[in-house]
Amino acid sequence: MTLITLKEPVAVAAALKQIERTFTGKSADYAEDTDWRSNFRDMAKQLHLPGVTDRSACELLIALKQSRLRALRANGRDPSNEGTLDTLLDRAVYAVIAFAMALEDG
């Protein structure tokens, strides 16, 4: 049986590269050098809520980005600060981080 593989669209490849660049840059700025999850662990501790983990803290950030995206669309005007593409990128980065945490946690 022959498997057919499709080449990913150029836009998808570009998006994945941008997600990687954004993660790498922000991780270098915000995470401790020896622990890529450190800022999420710290956020979970600061919330002082039972059961909040670094992964659920990351998922809260995804929800925040989703809420911001809805507001941007509902307002129907160009934002003066972070635009829709920036919000979509941040949400994608957080989703990849949450997925990576799930893979790492087993």
Side-chain angles (χ1 to χ4, degrees):
M1 180 161 100
T2 304
L3 294 176
I4 299 172
T5 58
L6 299 175
K7 186 175 178 165
E8 65 189 19
V10 173
V12 172
L16 292 171
K17 286 177 187 172
Q18 183 62 45
I19 288 167
E20 181 182 19
R21 279 193 303 270
T22 301
F23 168 77
T24 301
K26 289 188 177 191
S27 184
D29 287 344
Y30 302 133
E32 294 172 12
D33 289 343
T34 58
D35 181 10
W36 69 274
R37 296 168 77 154
S38 62
N39 55 336
F40 297 99
R41 285 191 178 102
D42 186 57
M43 181 183 167
K45 286 180 193 172
Q46 289 185 51
L47 289 172
H48 299 291
L49 296 171
V52 174
T53 65
D54 54 352
R55 190 173 0 153
S56 57
C58 183
E59 291 167 357
L60 285 170
L61 292 171
I62 294 168
L64 175 65
K65 291 295 176 176
Q66 186 64 27
S67 178
R68 288 179 178 175
L69 187 60
R70 284 189 187 118
L72 285 170
R73 290 179 174 158
N75 290 336
R77 64 179 184 276
D78 290 335
S80 57
N81 293 299
E82 185 175 297
T84 302
L85 281 178
D86 291 329
T87 302
L88 288 169
L89 174 60
D90 287 345
R91 185 181 64 173
V93 172
Y94 288 133
V96 169
I97 291 169
F99 181 62
M101 288 176 174
L103 289 175
E104 193 172 81
D105 294 345

